[in-house]
Amino acid sequence: MRASRQDRRRRVARRIRALIVKETLQILRDPSSYVVAFLLPALLLLLFGFGVSFDATRVRIGLVVEQPTPETTLFEASLFNSPFFEVRRAGDRRAFADDLARGRLDGVVVLPGDFSIRLHRGDTAGVQLITDGGDPNTAALATAYVQGAWQSWRERRLPDAADGQRIRVSSRVWFNPELESRRFLVPGSIAMIQMMIGSLLTALVVAREWERGTIEALLATPVGIGEFIIGKLVPNFALGLCAMAVCVAAARFVFDIPLRGSMLSLTALTAVFLLVALGLGLLISTAARTQFLASQIAMVVAFLPGLYFSGFLFEIASMPAPLRAFAAIVPARYYVRALQTIFLAGDITAVLVPCALVLLFMAAALFAATARNTKQRLD
């Protein structure tokens, strides 16, 4: 009895090994696999890294000086010398009205005629800023930049008149002191790429078997559902890790993103997330029999929810309650948080362990659903 059980295990291991070898050879002979594993991650990361940014490097400002004084000249010089502003000057605000309406200016700064008098008197509202509310993001950025420039200039030029404050707030930003949006967008981009590639790999591989008719030969063998899933999973898992290596190398050496955590935690979290992505692709393959349909479903089910509900681009806390509840079941949300923590903060166990546990649970649920829906018959 015991010998029979061992013999059965050996046969199962042999079939799994044969399936893995078959899948690996198919991947090595298919040029599209190299595109998916190496070219596509690098291309997508370059597009996301260079194309998506929340930073305004040059804010176009129209400066109106109604009454030139030494103080207005100093403030004007501080704006002109700042690398963040592209400044045009005029004596009347009406000179910039058309340019602001047409989007040629991001904001208009007005120094009123009594600017110097009110400044020395210690009154507030020495500067007026006019922005275009039709583009709220740009308006908010321009407002923040001008307020920062004004506050910095005022404290530097008039330290004793800075509101007469006895208590001064000293702010310090942790993990991303330069406040560069690229530093948290690039790790988020890696999560999006891994989700898309992972789900596409397995969804397309199985759909391709259906299109070529080779699935019939596979179903005629004594291969079980578990063996079939493992055989499809292992080579594509290795391919997903290759894609991850390309992304991490690009993040470090192209975008200069710091990696403050360990490679061990990064690899472990990536491996768990890849299981989720590959499991989702296998589940899609149980319903899609063509590569076109599989790719469309993968985009809708895997990529789009990750893009909108992972916290990568949009703040989840500001969403309505039903959407926040939906975001809780989006796997990319936990991987984005883990990657941003590993890259910017380090190995923080209180963040990484809960994310890993949730992803493991999702992976187990997806493989269970795949095993349940996979049929070993053609009808």
Side-chain angles (χ1 to χ4, degrees):
M1 185 72 177
R2 184 176 180 182
S4 174
R5 189 176 300 170
Q6 289 178 346
D7 186 56
R8 183 184 173 193
R9 287 177 181 171
R10 278 197 295 269
R11 287 199 301 271
V12 170
R14 193 162 54 243
R15 286 199 296 268
I16 292 176
R17 187 166 57 249
L19 276 174
I20 292 174
V21 171
K22 166 190 166 291
E23 291 298 326
T24 305
L25 290 176
Q26 279 189 337
I27 289 173
L28 293 176
R29 292 168 181 168
D30 187 358
S32 64
S33 302
Y34 300 102
V35 174
V36 173
F38 299 104
L39 184 60
L40 189 60
L43 182 63
L44 289 175
L45 195 60
L46 290 176
L47 288 175
F48 278 123
F50 287 116
V52 181
S53 175
F54 296 149
D55 302 327
T57 54
R58 296 290 289 178
V59 180
R60 298 165 300 176
I61 291 294
L63 178 63
V64 178
V65 182
E66 295 181 347
Q67 180 64 46
T69 63
E71 287 76 13
T72 62
T73 302
L74 290 173
F75 182 67
E76 181 182 338
S78 71
L79 292 181
F80 272 99
N81 293 329
S82 171
F84 302 107
F85 297 108
E86 181 180 324
V87 185
R88 291 162 49 193
R89 187 182 184 282
D92 194 311
R93 67 185 69 190
R94 286 174 294 186
F96 297 130
D98 287 342
D99 288 339
L100 185 63
R102 294 178 182 179
R104 294 174 181 171
L105 287 176
D106 299 318
V108 176
V109 177
V110 180
L111 303 183
D114 58 350
F115 174 80
S116 298
I117 298 174
R118 297 178 65 177
L119 190 66
H120 286 298
R121 204 165 54 200
D123 291 350
T124 58
V127 176
Q128 181 186 26
L129 174 63
I130 304 170
T131 56
D132 181 5
D135 186 353
N137 291 331
T138 302
L141 279 173
T143 302
Y145 276 53
V146 172
Q147 283 180 340
W150 162 247
Q151 186 66 25
S152 175
W153 177 84
R154 193 169 186 224
E155 290 183 356
R156 189 172 61 252
R157 301 299 305 177
L158 303 167
D160 298 333
D163 298 333
Q165 296 173 343
R166 293 183 178 180
I167 299 176
R168 180 168 297 179
V169 176
S170 177
S171 61
R172 183 179 177 186
V173 180
W174 284 12
F175 311 130
N176 184 13
E178 296 84 4
L179 294 177
E180 290 184 28
S181 61
R182 181 180 297 173
R183 293 201 170 195
F184 67 89
L185 286 176
V186 168
S189 304
I190 294 175
M192 296 300 101
I193 293 168
Q194 289 296 105
M195 189 69 203
M196 186 172 67
I197 289 177
S199 58
L200 275 176
L201 279 174
T202 44
L204 293 180
V205 163
V206 179
R208 193 180 302 139
E209 298 261 16
W210 283 104
E211 284 185 344
R212 293 176 178 173
T214 54
I215 195 74
E216 298 174 7
L218 191 61
L219 294 180
T221 65
V223 171
I225 292 176
E227 300 163 19
F228 174 79
I229 292 176
I230 295 173
K232 295 289 181 187
L233 191 67
V234 173
N236 291 296
F237 181 81
L239 212 58
L241 287 181
C242 291
M244 180 63 192
V246 172
C247 291
V248 173
R252 287 288 295 117
F253 302 113
V254 177
F255 297 105
D256 196 25
I257 307 298
L259 178 59
R260 299 194 172 99
S262 65
M263 284 301 297
L264 178 63
S265 58
L266 178 62
T267 306
L269 261 298
T270 300
V272 175
F273 183 70
L274 270 178
L275 291 177
V276 177
L278 295 171
L280 185 58
L282 283 174
L283 184 59
I284 293 171
S285 72
T286 62
R289 302 297 170 90
T290 65
Q291 295 186 66
F292 176 77
L293 181 59
S295 62
Q296 295 301 307
I297 296 176
M299 287 293 293
V300 173
V301 174
F303 182 69
L304 292 181
L307 184 65
Y308 291 108
F309 299 103
S310 65
F312 163 55
L313 290 177
F314 306 105
E315 182 65 33
I316 295 175
S318 61
M319 296 179 180
L323 296 184
R324 290 201 304 272
F326 176 73
I329 62 171
V330 175
R333 172 184 180 178
Y334 304 97
Y335 189 49
V336 167
R337 189 179 182 195
L339 277 187
Q340 289 175 341
T341 302
I342 292 172
F343 270 96
L344 300 180
D347 294 341
I348 299 180
T349 307
V351 176
L352 301 185
V353 170
C355 292
L357 291 176
V358 173
L359 290 175
L360 277 174
F361 175 77
M362 290 182 174
L366 286 169
F367 285 125
T370 302
R372 182 183 176 85
N373 292 338
T374 301
K375 298 176 181 177
Q376 289 186 291
R377 300 175 56 183
L378 292 177
D379 56 350

